[in-house]
């Protein structure tokens, strides 16, 4: 490919008032409007004071900017170019949006959490966002540290990663035939413990999942998956109270080590992974392992009513360089590395072990957020950043809903691909016979999906949502 004209024959003029660079925002924001986002915001948010007027318009502007790729307050200016004023109204300047975010208190952030949960339920009812979730659904729990710089960020600190930043806790809901969406979020201080506040957030996420209908069919399963940071009685008890199954990585405590040591050598089943797994501890790729299971009672240090008996599914991988046996451990721990999963899932052993490994899907969501709206936490005010995180979750779910409406491969694509192929599409806005006509590029590679998205989001009747 090369230029069709000499460089001296090319000039640039920023003078067309009818061009837009992200016409895919039209069906996405239409879908949000038809699912009642503005009415939810107006009914729920109680912000008052200077800069808090028209909260619904400002929140939808923030969400729209994030869907289009904005990752800072300044980037919200992308909503005010060319013909965007002919397509959208009530768009606010970035400085206005920044002032608005700084008006949030923790209570207002919790109100925005409620809006996000109710909107997700409406999106799931109006689109095939979580198809088959009534049969099998997974709720994954994990946290991540968003690095921050400077000294003006409230709550920033160094936690278990050693990185200075703020800690975001997420609960992600998915199904075997559907891409993951964000069921709940919570921004926390950077130096916080991973499990701090996790039981409460998990309870809220499970409530949202039940309202959506996840695991509601007969003999269905709603499974909570988490790593060893959330191996505790509070997390397990929250799952059981909500009628959900659990699959949590168990820390190698003395009782877990004794249970592993009791497994007979003949009980191990060799497995080979179709795709190799990268072992962080050994810093290598592994494709062979052995799996066994044993009955196990956890939390025996608590009162008897808090004891939980379930399955301990153990995967072991041979060490490359066996270490000296430590005191209190048998030789088997020098030869193998062990990964234990405490679970009450009814799946067969190998299927349950593979299902737990799929918990890594939440890392995909975290990566998408960090490559999108969470590339920055834009304010020095902690609650403003907390509100920004909730808006990021709403924008992620809206983008996923748009992909579900577009259908085909778009239903499972990552957020960056959906943004590039459906949202950030150039177009020219025109009017004819009192109707707005959007002219898109001829031979656009993703025309079928974008055309389907426009038709279903703007014109097809949507199922009623509570």
């Amino acid at each position: 490919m090369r230029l069709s004209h000499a460089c001296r024959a090319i000039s640039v003029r920023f003078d067309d008032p009818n061009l837009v660079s992200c016409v895919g925002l039209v069906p996405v924001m239409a879908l949000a409007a038809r699912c009642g986002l503005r009415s939810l915001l107006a009914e729920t948010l109680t912000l008052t004071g200077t800069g808090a007027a028209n909260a619904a318009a400002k929140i939808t502007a923030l969400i729209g900017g994030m869907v289009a790729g904005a990752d800072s307050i300044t980037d919200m200016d992308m909503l005010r170019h060319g013909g965007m004023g002919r397509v959208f109204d009530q768009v606010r300047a970035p400085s206005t949006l920044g002032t608005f975010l700084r008006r949030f208190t923790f209570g207002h952030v919790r109100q925005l959490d409620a809006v996000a949960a109710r909107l997700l339920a409406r999106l799931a009812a109006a689109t095939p966002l979580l198809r088959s979730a009534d049969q099998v659904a997974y709720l994954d729990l994990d946290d991540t540290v968003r690095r921050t710089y400077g000294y003006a960020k409230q709550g920033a600190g160094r936690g278990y990663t050693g990185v200075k930043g703020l800690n975001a806790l997420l609960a992600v809901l998915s199904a075997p035939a559907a891409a993951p969406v964000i069921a709940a979020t919570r921004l926390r201080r950077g130096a916080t413990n991973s499990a701090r506040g996790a039981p409460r957030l998990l309870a809220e996420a499970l409530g949202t999942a039940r309202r959506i209908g996840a695991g509601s069919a007969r003999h269905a399963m709603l499974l909570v998956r988490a790593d060893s940071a959330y191996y505790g009685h509070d997390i397990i008890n929250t799952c059981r109270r909500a009628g959900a199954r659990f699959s949590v990585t168990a820390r190698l405590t003395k009782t877990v080590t004794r249970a592993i040591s009791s497994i007979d050598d003949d009980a191990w089943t060799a497995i080979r992974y179709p795709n190799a797994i990268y072992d962080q501890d050994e810093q290598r790729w592994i494709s062979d392992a052995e799996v066994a299971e044993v009955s196990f009672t956890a939390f025996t240090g608590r009162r008897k009513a808090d004891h939980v008996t379930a399955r301990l599914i153990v995967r072991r991988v041979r060490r490359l360089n066996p270490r000296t046996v430590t005191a209190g451990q048998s030789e088997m721990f020098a030869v193998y590395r062990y990964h234990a999963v405490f679970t009450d899932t009814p799946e067969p052993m190998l299927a349950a072990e593979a299902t737990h490994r799929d918990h890594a899907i939440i890392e995909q969501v975290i990566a998408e957020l960090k490559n999108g709206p969470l590339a920055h936490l834009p304010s020095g005010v902690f609650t403003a950043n907390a509100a920004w995180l909730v808006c990021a979750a709403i924008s992620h779910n809206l983008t996923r809903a748009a992909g579900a409406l577009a259908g085909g491969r778009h239903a499972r694509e990552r957020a960056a691909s959906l943004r590039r192929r459906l949202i950030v599409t150039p177009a020219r806005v025109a009017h004819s016979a009192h109707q707005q006509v959007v002219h898109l590029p001829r031979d656009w590679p993703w025309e079928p999906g974008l055309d389907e998205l426009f038709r279903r989001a703007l014109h097809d009747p949507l199922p009623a949502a509570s």
Side-chain angles (χ1 to χ4, degrees), residues 1 16 189 195 209 285 296 324 326 395 448 450 455:
M1 187 173 70
D16 196 320
R189 296 174 62 251
W285 294 89
F296 178 69
T324 303
T326 56
S395 72
L450 193 54
R455 180 181 62 81

Side-chain angles (χ1 to χ4, degrees), residues 337-418:
R337 294 191 63 255
Y338 292 85
H339 305 265
V341 178
F342 187 54
T343 181
D344 66 346
T345 173
E347 292 181 309
M349 177 182 70
L350 295 183
E353 193 272 338
T355 296
H356 181 79
R357 279 190 281 111
D358 287 341
H359 164 67
I361 194 172
I362 194 172
E363 300 294 343
Q364 169 192 323
V365 176
I366 290 172
E368 291 176 5
L369 288 176
K370 287 186 172 181
N371 290 328
L374 285 193
H376 306 92
L377 287 170
S379 180
V381 179
F382 180 85
T383 49
N385 288 324
W388 181 271
L389 174 62
V390 182
C391 290
I394 295 174
S395 72
H396 177 90
N397 294 342
L398 275 172
T399 304
R400 285 295 190 195
L405 286 182
R409 62 183 180 182
H410 300 299
R412 296 298 297 272
E413 282 180 333
R414 297 195 177 190
S417 297
L418 291 172

Side-chain angles (χ1 to χ4, degrees), residues 431-449:
H431 286 83
S432 176
H434 302 288
Q435 289 191 335
Q436 192 174 77
V437 181
V438 179
H439 296 274
L440 286 87
R442 187 175 61 184
D443 300 325
W444 186 249
W446 302 285
E447 175 185 343

Side-chain angles (χ1 to χ4, degrees), residues 180-386:
V181 296
I182 300 174
T185 61
R186 190 83 78 249
L187 189 67
R188 305 177 298 177
R189 296 174 62 251
T192 194
N193 181 276
S194 291
R196 182 178 177 84
R200 181 172 180 177
L201 179 125
L202 177 59
E204 294 173 6
L206 285 168
T208 299
R210 291 302 190 190
R211 284 193 293 274
I212 291 172
S216 59
R218 189 177 182 185
H219 305 305
M221 178 176 69
L222 174 58
L223 178 67
V224 175
R225 302 182 294 196
D227 61 25
S228 59
Y230 306 96
Y231 176 67
H233 177 266
D234 290 343
I235 292 292
I236 303 299
N237 193 42
T238 300
C239 297
R240 301 180 86 181
R241 282 202 309 267
R245 303 281 185 172
F246 59 85
S247 181
V248 182
T249 302
R251 291 188 290 273
L252 293 182
T253 61
K254 291 182 179 179
T255 54
V256 171
T257 300
R258 282 198 299 270
I260 294 173
S261 300
S262 69
I263 300 175
D264 293 335
D265 288 339
D266 296 337
W268 295 96
T269 301
I271 60 173
R272 185 173 181 83
Y273 303 116
N275 299 311
I277 298 174
Y278 189 73
D279 191 314
Q280 291 286 353
D281 295 328
E282 291 272 332
Q283 293 293 299
R284 65 186 176 101
W285 294 89
I286 60 172
S287 57
D288 296 283
E290 294 178 318
V291 180
E293 71 171 293
V294 64
S295 179
F296 178 69
T297 301
F299 318 123
T300 53
R302 300 174 63 94
R303 59 177 184 171
K304 191 170 183 179
D306 293 340
H307 296 183
V308 178
T309 301
R311 305 159 67 192
L312 194 69
I313 297 178
V314 185
R315 171 169 53 91
R316 72 180 184 182
V317 179
R318 185 175 292 274
R319 296 184 187 274
L320 283 180
N321 298 307
R323 298 177 299 178
T324 303
V325 182
T326 56
Q329 291 187 353
S330 63
E331 187 177 353
M332 60 185 288
F333 283 86
V335 178
Y336 293 96
R337 294 191 63 255
Y338 292 85
H339 305 265
V341 178
F342 187 54
T343 181
D344 66 346
T345 173
E347 292 181 309
M349 177 182 70
L350 295 183
E353 193 272 338
T355 296
H356 181 79
R357 279 190 281 111
D358 287 341
H359 164 67
I361 194 172
I362 194 172
E363 300 294 343
Q364 169 192 323
V365 176
I366 290 172
E368 291 176 5
L369 288 176
K370 287 186 172 181
N371 290 328
L374 285 193
H376 306 92
L377 287 170
S379 180
V381 179
F382 180 85
T383 49
N385 288 324

Side-chain angles (χ1 to χ4, degrees), residues 134-159:
D134 60 326
Q135 299 292 332
V136 177
Y138 306 113
L139 190 65
D140 297 304
L141 193 65
D142 205 353
D143 66 329
T144 185
V145 175
R146 176 68 271 177
R147 183 189 292 270
T148 60
Y149 302 90
Y151 301 97
K153 296 281 187 181
Q154 290 181 355
R158 299 183 186 275

